[in-house]
mmCIF file of all heavy atoms in Angstrom:
data_model
loop_
_atom_site.group_PDB
_atom_site.id
_atom_site.type_symbol
_atom_site.label_atom_id
_atom_site.label_comp_id
_atom_site.label_asym_id
_atom_site.label_seq_id
_atom_site.Cartn_x
_atom_site.Cartn_y
_atom_site.Cartn_z
ATOM 1 N N HIS S 65 76.296 75.595 104.944
ATOM 2 C CA HIS S 65 77.525 75.468 105.823
ATOM 3 C C HIS S 65 78.635 76.325 105.148
ATOM 4 O O HIS S 65 79.536 75.629 104.626
ATOM 5 C CB HIS S 65 77.863 74.038 105.941
ATOM 6 C CG HIS S 65 77.279 73.361 107.086
ATOM 7 N ND1 HIS S 65 77.578 73.633 108.333
ATOM 8 C CD2 HIS S 65 76.485 72.226 107.170
ATOM 9 C CE1 HIS S 65 76.892 72.845 109.184
ATOM 10 N NE2 HIS S 65 76.265 71.961 108.488
ATOM 11 N N PRO S 66 78.500 77.531 105.137
ATOM 12 C CA PRO S 66 79.609 78.268 104.530
ATOM 13 C C PRO S 66 80.914 77.975 105.373
ATOM 14 O O PRO S 66 81.002 78.004 106.509
ATOM 15 C CB PRO S 66 79.240 79.762 104.645
ATOM 16 C CG PRO S 66 78.150 79.815 105.714
ATOM 17 C CD PRO S 66 77.540 78.481 105.856
ATOM 18 N N LEU S 67 82.000 77.679 104.607
ATOM 19 C CA LEU S 67 83.258 77.376 105.109
ATOM 20 C C LEU S 67 83.888 78.661 105.600
ATOM 21 O O LEU S 67 83.852 79.731 104.893
ATOM 22 C CB LEU S 67 84.166 76.694 104.203
ATOM 23 C CG LEU S 67 83.736 75.238 103.676
ATOM 24 C CD1 LEU S 67 84.593 74.902 102.505
ATOM 25 C CD2 LEU S 67 83.736 74.316 104.790
ATOM 26 N N SER S 68 84.473 78.690 106.814
ATOM 27 C CA SER S 68 85.086 79.946 107.330
ATOM 28 C C SER S 68 86.530 80.016 106.614
ATOM 29 O O SER S 68 86.983 78.957 106.127
ATOM 30 C CB SER S 68 85.266 79.885 108.707
ATOM 31 O OG SER S 68 86.302 78.945 109.081
ATOM 32 N N PRO S 69 87.054 81.220 106.476
ATOM 33 C CA PRO S 69 88.410 81.363 105.931
ATOM 34 C C PRO S 69 89.450 80.411 106.471
ATOM 35 O O PRO S 69 90.263 79.822 105.851
ATOM 36 C CB PRO S 69 88.765 82.796 106.145
ATOM 37 C CG PRO S 69 87.428 83.544 106.286
ATOM 38 C CD PRO S 69 86.483 82.498 106.899
ATOM 39 N N GLN S 70 89.376 80.184 107.878
ATOM 40 C CA GLN S 70 90.270 79.235 108.533
ATOM 41 C C GLN S 70 90.022 77.865 108.017
ATOM 42 O O GLN S 70 90.997 77.206 107.724
ATOM 43 C CB GLN S 70 90.020 79.184 110.028
ATOM 44 C CG GLN S 70 90.801 80.382 110.761
ATOM 45 C CD GLN S 70 90.147 81.635 110.741
ATOM 46 O OE1 GLN S 70 89.057 81.750 110.315
ATOM 47 N NE2 GLN S 70 90.847 82.741 111.280
ATOM 48 N N GLN S 71 88.862 77.481 107.823
ATOM 49 C CA GLN S 71 88.522 76.101 107.446
ATOM 50 C C GLN S 71 89.092 75.985 106.017
ATOM 51 O O GLN S 71 89.717 74.950 105.708
ATOM 52 C CB GLN S 71 87.049 75.853 107.435
ATOM 53 C CG GLN S 71 86.577 75.504 108.914
ATOM 54 C CD GLN S 71 85.078 75.250 108.920
ATOM 55 O OE1 GLN S 71 84.390 75.969 108.201
ATOM 56 N NE2 GLN S 71 84.669 74.463 109.757
ATOM 57 N N ILE S 72 88.928 76.880 105.121
ATOM 58 C CA ILE S 72 89.291 76.791 103.715
ATOM 59 C C ILE S 72 90.969 76.647 103.802
ATOM 60 O O ILE S 72 91.452 75.768 103.044
ATOM 61 C CB ILE S 72 88.906 78.057 102.975
ATOM 62 C CG1 ILE S 72 87.417 78.107 102.916
ATOM 63 C CG2 ILE S 72 89.383 78.030 101.633
ATOM 64 C CD1 ILE S 72 86.897 79.375 102.370
ATOM 65 N N LYS S 73 91.540 77.453 104.566
ATOM 66 C CA LYS S 73 92.966 77.403 104.658
ATOM 67 C C LYS S 73 93.370 76.029 105.173
ATOM 68 O O LYS S 73 94.302 75.289 104.541
ATOM 69 C CB LYS S 73 93.544 78.407 105.497
ATOM 70 C CG LYS S 73 94.999 78.492 105.649
ATOM 71 C CD LYS S 73 95.457 78.722 107.060
ATOM 72 C CE LYS S 73 96.875 78.125 107.208
ATOM 73 N NZ LYS S 73 97.222 77.899 108.564
ATOM 74 N N GLN S 74 92.861 75.543 106.098
ATOM 75 C CA GLN S 74 93.202 74.252 106.674
ATOM 76 C C GLN S 74 92.917 73.126 105.723
ATOM 77 O O GLN S 74 93.666 72.055 105.604
ATOM 78 C CB GLN S 74 92.396 73.945 107.960
ATOM 79 C CG GLN S 74 92.999 74.660 109.139
ATOM 80 C CD GLN S 74 92.132 74.655 110.343
ATOM 81 O OE1 GLN S 74 90.904 74.536 110.366
ATOM 82 N NE2 GLN S 74 92.796 74.637 111.625
ATOM 83 N N ILE S 75 91.848 73.233 104.894
ATOM 84 C CA ILE S 75 91.579 72.137 103.880
ATOM 85 C C ILE S 75 92.684 72.228 102.933
ATOM 86 O O ILE S 75 93.223 71.162 102.487
ATOM 87 C CB ILE S 75 90.200 72.404 103.194
ATOM 88 C CG1 ILE S 75 89.100 72.121 104.266
ATOM 89 C CG2 ILE S 75 90.075 71.596 101.924
ATOM 90 C CD1 ILE S 75 87.722 72.411 103.673
ATOM 91 N N PHE S 76 93.035 73.361 102.392
ATOM 92 C CA PHE S 76 93.987 73.452 101.293
ATOM 93 C C PHE S 76 95.387 73.180 101.822
ATOM 94 O O PHE S 76 96.404 72.997 101.077
ATOM 95 C CB PHE S 76 93.928 74.759 100.613
ATOM 96 C CG PHE S 76 92.830 74.717 99.562
ATOM 97 C CD1 PHE S 76 91.534 74.997 99.877
ATOM 98 C CD2 PHE S 76 93.162 74.322 98.186
ATOM 99 C CE1 PHE S 76 90.625 74.871 98.859
ATOM 100 C CE2 PHE S 76 92.226 74.214 97.312
ATOM 101 C CZ PHE S 76 90.828 74.534 97.542
ATOM 102 N N ASP S 77 95.614 73.244 103.123
ATOM 103 C CA ASP S 77 96.910 72.899 103.739
ATOM 104 C C ASP S 77 96.957 71.461 104.182
ATOM 105 O O ASP S 77 97.850 70.974 104.817
ATOM 106 C CB ASP S 77 97.216 73.772 104.983
ATOM 107 C CG ASP S 77 97.851 75.016 104.545
ATOM 108 O OD1 ASP S 77 97.968 75.244 103.388
ATOM 109 O OD2 ASP S 77 98.063 75.906 105.528
ATOM 110 N N SER S 78 95.888 70.744 103.853
ATOM 111 C CA SER S 78 95.761 69.358 104.217
ATOM 112 C C SER S 78 95.746 69.093 105.751
ATOM 113 O O SER S 78 96.277 68.061 106.195
ATOM 114 C CB SER S 78 96.837 68.418 103.585
ATOM 115 O OG SER S 78 96.984 68.571 102.261
ATOM 116 N N GLU S 79 95.320 70.095 106.425
ATOM 117 C CA GLU S 79 95.215 69.891 107.900
ATOM 118 C C GLU S 79 93.729 69.259 108.156
ATOM 119 O O GLU S 79 93.719 68.505 109.211
ATOM 120 C CB GLU S 79 95.381 71.228 108.670
ATOM 121 C CG GLU S 79 96.788 71.541 108.832
ATOM 122 C CD GLU S 79 97.090 72.987 109.170
ATOM 123 O OE1 GLU S 79 96.127 73.607 109.768
ATOM 124 O OE2 GLU S 79 98.109 73.481 108.910
ATOM 125 N N ILE S 80 92.731 69.800 107.421
ATOM 126 C CA ILE S 80 91.489 68.959 107.376
ATOM 127 C C ILE S 80 91.368 68.106 106.202
ATOM 128 O O ILE S 80 91.690 68.540 105.126
ATOM 129 C CB ILE S 80 90.264 69.999 107.456
ATOM 130 C CG1 ILE S 80 90.403 70.886 108.638
ATOM 131 C CG2 ILE S 80 89.008 69.265 107.260
ATOM 132 C CD1 ILE S 80 89.281 71.960 108.686
ATOM 133 N N THR S 81 91.227 66.805 106.419
ATOM 134 C CA THR S 81 91.356 65.965 105.282
ATOM 135 C C THR S 81 90.046 65.129 105.049
ATOM 136 O O THR S 81 89.929 64.382 104.026
ATOM 137 C CB THR S 81 92.464 64.960 105.445
ATOM 138 O OG1 THR S 81 92.286 64.199 106.747
ATOM 139 C CG2 THR S 81 93.829 65.580 105.378
ATOM 140 N N ASN S 82 89.105 65.349 105.878
ATOM 141 C CA ASN S 82 87.761 64.654 105.719
ATOM 142 C C ASN S 82 86.685 65.616 105.788
ATOM 143 O O ASN S 82 86.612 66.567 106.568
ATOM 144 C CB ASN S 82 87.671 63.662 106.910
ATOM 145 C CG ASN S 82 86.681 62.620 106.519
ATOM 146 O OD1 ASN S 82 85.495 62.902 106.245
ATOM 147 N ND2 ASN S 82 87.034 61.269 106.642
ATOM 148 N N TRP S 83 85.668 65.365 104.914
ATOM 149 C CA TRP S 83 84.556 66.322 104.800
ATOM 150 C C TRP S 83 83.755 66.358 106.085
ATOM 151 O O TRP S 83 83.066 67.290 106.422
ATOM 152 C CB TRP S 83 83.659 65.909 103.667
ATOM 153 C CG TRP S 83 84.050 66.439 102.348
ATOM 154 C CD1 TRP S 83 84.492 65.694 101.290
ATOM 155 C CD2 TRP S 83 84.123 67.762 101.851
ATOM 156 N NE1 TRP S 83 84.995 66.557 100.248
ATOM 157 C CE2 TRP S 83 84.651 67.850 100.637
ATOM 158 C CE3 TRP S 83 83.801 68.927 102.485
ATOM 159 C CZ2 TRP S 83 84.851 68.884 99.822
ATOM 160 C CZ3 TRP S 83 83.989 70.119 101.740
ATOM 161 C CH2 TRP S 83 84.579 70.079 100.513
ATOM 162 N N GLU S 84 83.833 65.154 106.859
ATOM 163 C CA GLU S 84 83.035 65.127 108.098
ATOM 164 C C GLU S 84 83.425 66.297 109.071
ATOM 165 O O GLU S 84 82.601 66.804 109.826
ATOM 166 C CB GLU S 84 83.347 63.746 108.749
ATOM 167 C CG GLU S 84 82.165 63.275 109.559
ATOM 168 C CD GLU S 84 82.332 61.900 110.024
ATOM 169 O OE1 GLU S 84 83.500 61.346 109.956
ATOM 170 O OE2 GLU S 84 81.417 61.269 110.492
ATOM 171 N N GLU S 85 84.814 66.688 109.031
ATOM 172 C CA GLU S 85 85.211 67.623 109.947
ATOM 173 C C GLU S 85 84.552 68.906 109.815
ATOM 174 O O GLU S 85 84.549 69.859 110.631
ATOM 175 C CB GLU S 85 86.731 67.790 109.929
ATOM 176 C CG GLU S 85 87.465 66.433 110.470
ATOM 177 C CD GLU S 85 88.925 66.626 110.040
ATOM 178 O OE1 GLU S 85 89.437 67.487 110.685
ATOM 179 O OE2 GLU S 85 89.489 65.797 109.268
ATOM 180 N N VAL S 86 84.170 69.248 108.551
ATOM 181 C CA VAL S 86 83.442 70.539 108.400
ATOM 182 C C VAL S 86 81.923 70.434 108.061
ATOM 183 O O VAL S 86 81.289 71.220 107.496
ATOM 184 C CB VAL S 86 84.181 71.305 107.122
ATOM 185 C CG1 VAL S 86 85.486 71.830 107.499
ATOM 186 C CG2 VAL S 86 84.177 70.428 105.905
ATOM 187 N N GLY S 87 81.416 69.301 108.449
ATOM 188 C CA GLY S 87 79.982 69.125 108.419
ATOM 189 C C GLY S 87 79.435 68.378 107.230
ATOM 190 O O GLY S 87 78.339 68.400 106.925
ATOM 191 N N GLY S 88 80.345 67.708 106.437
ATOM 192 C CA GLY S 88 79.860 66.895 105.323
ATOM 193 C C GLY S 88 79.830 65.506 105.671
ATOM 194 O O GLY S 88 79.695 65.155 106.855
ATOM 195 N N ARG S 89 79.793 64.623 104.566
ATOM 196 C CA ARG S 89 79.780 63.193 104.950
ATOM 197 C C ARG S 89 81.297 62.655 105.112
ATOM 198 O O ARG S 89 82.146 63.293 104.638
ATOM 199 C CB ARG S 89 79.081 62.438 103.994
ATOM 200 C CG ARG S 89 79.558 62.530 102.564
ATOM 201 C CD ARG S 89 78.733 61.870 101.445
ATOM 202 N NE ARG S 89 79.378 62.334 100.251
ATOM 203 C CZ ARG S 89 78.752 62.719 99.141
ATOM 204 N NH1 ARG S 89 77.400 62.667 99.180
ATOM 205 N NH2 ARG S 89 79.300 63.116 98.085
ATOM 206 N N ASP S 90 81.292 61.352 105.680
ATOM 207 C CA ASP S 90 82.637 60.827 106.003
ATOM 208 C C ASP S 90 83.274 60.446 104.637
ATOM 209 O O ASP S 90 83.163 59.350 104.156
ATOM 210 C CB ASP S 90 82.354 59.600 106.834
ATOM 211 C CG ASP S 90 83.713 58.952 107.128
ATOM 212 O OD1 ASP S 90 84.775 59.608 107.033
ATOM 213 O OD2 ASP S 90 83.687 57.786 107.608
ATOM 214 N N GLU S 91 84.139 61.380 104.138
ATOM 215 C CA GLU S 91 84.708 61.201 102.831
ATOM 216 C C GLU S 91 86.033 61.976 102.853
ATOM 217 O O GLU S 91 86.053 63.089 103.315
ATOM 218 C CB GLU S 91 83.741 61.621 101.708
ATOM 219 C CG GLU S 91 83.994 60.939 100.418
ATOM 220 C CD GLU S 91 82.748 61.364 99.534
ATOM 221 O OE1 GLU S 91 82.133 62.333 99.696
ATOM 222 O OE2 GLU S 91 82.593 60.492 98.601
ATOM 223 N N GLU S 92 86.984 61.418 102.140
ATOM 224 C CA GLU S 92 88.341 62.152 102.073
ATOM 225 C C GLU S 92 88.132 63.408 101.129
ATOM 226 O O GLU S 92 87.470 63.344 100.167
ATOM 227 C CB GLU S 92 89.435 61.318 101.580
ATOM 228 C CG GLU S 92 90.776 61.648 102.002
ATOM 229 C CD GLU S 92 91.872 60.759 101.410
ATOM 230 O OE1 GLU S 92 91.587 59.510 101.562
ATOM 231 O OE2 GLU S 92 92.843 61.237 100.922
ATOM 232 N N ILE S 93 88.819 64.517 101.536
ATOM 233 C CA ILE S 93 88.697 65.683 100.656
ATOM 234 C C ILE S 93 89.672 65.592 99.564
ATOM 235 O O ILE S 93 90.906 65.320 99.845
ATOM 236 C CB ILE S 93 88.915 66.927 101.570
ATOM 237 C CG1 ILE S 93 87.850 67.056 102.578
ATOM 238 C CG2 ILE S 93 88.890 68.144 100.587
ATOM 239 C CD1 ILE S 93 88.044 68.333 103.410
#
Side-chain angles (χ1 to χ4, degrees):
Chain S
H65 269 297
L67 298 170
S68 72
Q70 270 83 6
Q71 281 174 326
I72 297 172
K73 182 220 154 203
Q74 282 171 330
I75 288 174
F76 277 85
D77 277 358
S78 312
E79 278 161 27
I80 294 178
T81 53
N82 198 306
W83 279 111
E84 211 176 8
E85 293 172 62
V86 290
R89 59 181 169 221
D90 182 15
E91 205 169 24
E92 206 182 314
I93 299 177

